[in-house]
Amino acid sequence: ILGSIEPTSGSTQGNTKISVLGSGFTLGAPIVCYFGVEDYIVASLVDETAVTCRAPTHAVGEVDFYITTNGVRAVDASGYAVVLKYTYSTAPTVASMSPSTGSMDGGVTVTVTGEAFGESSGNAVCVFGPALVTATIVSSTELTCVSPASSSEGLVSFSVQINGEEASSESTHFRYMNAVHVINVSPRYGSVHGGDVVVLSGLSFAGTDDVHCIFGGVVSTVARVVDSTMMTCQTPASAEVGSVSVG
């Protein structure tokens, strides 16, 4: 008996892993998944209620999906032959990710934009080097995931998989940082009375908690992290005129 398939759509490039749910599947009986009339592939048995198969390549559009066991079409609970629908769509692509840097402790929410990410119920993962984490599909053009921890600093490859298929992209990387790095401060002067808003640019600001700026050893109010490369804070009052270090 054929009940349903998940997912119900995939890329024209094929290789999407399809879970076929039903009952009465048995070892030794050849089970074949059909995508339309001419395209088919042998399924793999999971248990008596499920099999899996990989979608072949196909042009954009909807096709009939059904399975056969020993050449006999699967039926529904009423004994009627079942035909489901499977939709081929444009292959997923990644256009950008933000932020592209984060702490070695992980926990940074990364937003990925692109095309053809599919429905929110789809299976998406982000791959940070060797580590896979589950992603949340926000829309067909956006998904989010949280960076895992890393044991070392440096660049790791980054990619996205939608329903088992890797989304195409330009060379994309994520940089793990062991500590926050401040590169520039603007403006570089202000009143001794304090209260001036200062913008700090640098690396690895995102994913940090309880952030403060330090002016010459004096801790300012809580800083506002804009993204992984920018934060703002207010200068504290100073008893003397002159230059101080900022960190």
Side-chain angles (χ1 to χ4, degrees), residues 39-62:
D39 297 324
Y40 60 89
I41 191 165
V42 176
S44 298
L45 180 69
V46 178
D47 55 37
E48 65 176 8
T49 64
V51 298
T52 61
C53 53
R54 295 278 182 176
T57 58
H58 197 279
V60 172
E62 187 179 74

Side-chain angles (χ1 to χ4, degrees), residues 3 16 35 62 80 102 126 147 204 211 213 218-219 225 238 240 244:
T16 300
F35 295 79
E62 187 179 74
Y80 294 99
C126 293
S147 64
S204 197
V211 182
C213 297
V218 179
V219 179
V225 176
S238 175
E240 298 178 352
V244 295

Side-chain angles (χ1 to χ4, degrees), residues 62-83:
E62 187 179 74
V63 297
D64 290 337
F65 176 90
Y66 58 92
I67 64 173
T68 63
T69 302
N70 286 327
V72 179
R73 290 271 289 269
V75 298
D76 60 19
S78 300
Y80 294 99
V82 178
V83 176

